[in-house]
Amino acid sequence: MMAAGPWALLLVLALGSGPGPGALGYFPEERWTPESPLLPPRVTVALLARNAAHALPATLGALERLRHPKERTALWVAVDHSVDNTTALLRGWLMRVRGLYHRVEWRPLEEPTSYPDEEGPKHWSPMRYEHVMKLRQAALEAARAAWSDYLLFLDADNVLTNPDTLGLLMAENKTLVAPMLDSRAAYSNFWCGMTAQGYYRRTPLYLPVRRRERRGCFAVPMVHSTFLVDLRRAAAAALRFHPPSPDYTWPFDDIIAFAFACRRAEVQMFICNREVYGFLPVPLRSHSTLQDEAESFLHVLLEIMVKNPPAEPSPHIWVPPKVPDKMGFDE
């Protein structure tokens, strides 16, 4: 039997070298190059802020350092009822970074500076809940109208210290997933249990997940503050914040109303604690002041430095230098 080697080589030369860069063919029109890579997903980041001037430098600095192409990222930013420098700070930041991002939508509301039915800046009154629900709904509709693939809700005092957070959440392949955020207490941005009336319920699972004694991506009845929605999923079209469903009887609260909408749409919420993604402050009481809130956020910055580099502020925000003092000592 004749050796097949020379004939096999001739066949390869005649038909081309197969798949690969600049694959050769006998005729010029048979030559081809590999397909180009897919573009990264389009992401809209929704940021709602009120009296958050103390936290925004760190929050925006972490947002800028996320490893997702800015030209594939849109910003939807709203500010309302603030008495501090939040509006001016965000306006200046957006003016400086708008050329870096794909699109910027700015929704300021400078007047009034308070809600008629609130008792203070930290009091969540019914009118405040409704306004926040409408803002979140507007962000959701804007992301849909822009044909975004994902929508990331980010609270103004949540610092995403892990620059790979977006990519890690997308890799979970869930319709709605949140990164578990750390705090100086047992508090985090998820519930493991919920009563039939929509209130928080303690469960044995919470602390093992919060302490990362169990790691993974867990189905939970509630995530809030910072979470990612995959708008490509068919079920995501049924999600909404406002108005609540006609049969909604749970507490009038933006995160609870959204959890109810997810349940109705058969969209499971997930909390992921595989990595350290970021940090958030512990909630304050309704009678707390803005000074209390600023001091609480200082604890967030200190907590970050326990095992991580300091949270660097955005270079596009001017932060006044700290004036050293004697801290009550003589020298």
Side-chain angles (χ1 to χ4, degrees):
M1 180 181 294
M2 294 181 60
W7 296 103
L9 177 61
L10 180 60
L11 184 62
V12 169
L13 293 175
L15 298 180
S17 58
L24 299 177
Y26 184 78
F27 299 103
E29 57 270 20
E30 294 177 345
R31 301 168 187 166
W32 58 277
T33 56
E35 294 292 334
S36 60
L38 294 173
L39 291 171
R42 293 164 295 189
V43 178
T44 292
V45 178
L47 180 77
L48 280 63
R50 185 194 181 194
N51 295 321
H54 59 280
L56 284 171
T59 298
L60 298 178
L63 173 60
E64 293 172 28
R65 287 187 288 273
L66 289 179
R67 293 194 183 107
H68 191 79
K70 291 181 173 56
E71 66 273 12
R72 303 287 292 176
T73 304
L75 300 176
W76 191 98
V77 181
V79 60
D80 70 288
H81 299 80
S82 290
V83 297
D84 65 358
N85 199 35
T86 296
T87 303
L89 191 152
L90 276 173
R91 182 184 290 113
W93 179 74
L94 289 172
M95 290 290 291
R96 296 179 183 94
V97 303
R98 63 181 179 179
L100 304 175
Y101 289 90
H102 172 67
R103 181 174 52 85
V104 170
E105 185 169 344
W106 172 229
R107 300 281 295 268
L109 178 64
E110 299 189 46
E111 296 291 340
T113 58
S114 63
Y115 294 92
D117 61 340
E118 73 176 9
E119 300 172 3
K122 297 306 298 176
H123 176 222
W124 280 88
S125 67
M127 292 184 67
R128 181 179 182 184
Y129 274 124
E130 184 173 17
H131 186 70
V132 169
M133 290 163 71
K134 289 179 178 179
L135 286 178
R136 292 192 185 278
Q137 181 66 28
L140 181 58
E141 293 174 358
R144 287 169 174 160
W147 295 103
S148 293
D149 297 310
Y150 292 91
L151 171 60
L152 176 70
F153 280 101
L154 176 67
D155 273 8
D157 55 4
N158 291 186
V159 183
L160 297 178
T161 55
N162 189 331
D164 295 316
T165 296
L166 260 179
L168 292 169
L169 294 180
M170 291 176 187
E172 294 295 339
N173 200 27
K174 307 293 187 186
T175 304
L176 198 156
V177 61
M180 191 190 78
L181 302 180
D182 292 88
S183 73
R184 60 189 176 96
Y187 178 75
S188 189
N189 58 319
F190 71 100
W191 298 359
C192 277
M194 180 183 285
T195 68
Q197 294 76 34
Y199 291 100
Y200 177 80
R201 180 172 62 87
R202 288 189 177 185
T203 67
L205 178 63
Y206 182 83
L207 285 179
V209 172
R210 172 64 184 85
R211 295 168 177 165
R212 292 190 175 85
E213 295 167 0
R214 294 184 59 186
R215 289 179 179 255
C217 207
F218 302 92
V220 294
M222 164 72 75
V223 297
H224 58 84
S225 300
T226 294
F227 55 91
L228 185 72
V229 182
D230 187 345
L231 297 176
R232 304 170 303 171
R233 303 279 184 173
L239 299 181
R240 66 178 181 181
F241 287 91
H242 191 273
S245 300
D247 59 341
Y248 182 77
T249 59
W250 289 4
F252 196 68
D253 179 303
D254 61 313
I255 63 172
I256 298 177
F258 188 62
F260 182 87
C262 289
R263 181 175 295 192
R264 287 291 300 271
E266 297 184 348
V267 171
Q268 178 62 59
M269 292 179 162
F270 288 88
I271 189 73
C272 194
N273 70 349
R274 303 185 201 275
E275 310 276 346
V276 175
Y277 301 98
F279 295 78
L280 82 171
V282 175
L284 300 178
R285 298 185 182 276
S286 60
H287 60 264
S288 300
T289 65
L290 296 184
Q291 181 61 33
D292 295 332
E293 190 172 25
E295 292 176 0
S296 175
F297 190 75
L298 180 60
H299 287 284
V300 175
L301 299 179
L302 294 174
E303 189 71 21
I304 291 174
M305 289 190 291
V306 171
K307 296 182 180 179
N308 304 273
E312 295 293 335
S314 166
H316 302 287
I317 292 179
W318 182 78
V319 179
K322 297 185 183 300
V323 179
D325 60 31
K326 297 180 182 179
M327 299 178 63
F329 294 97
D330 294 335
E331 297 181 0

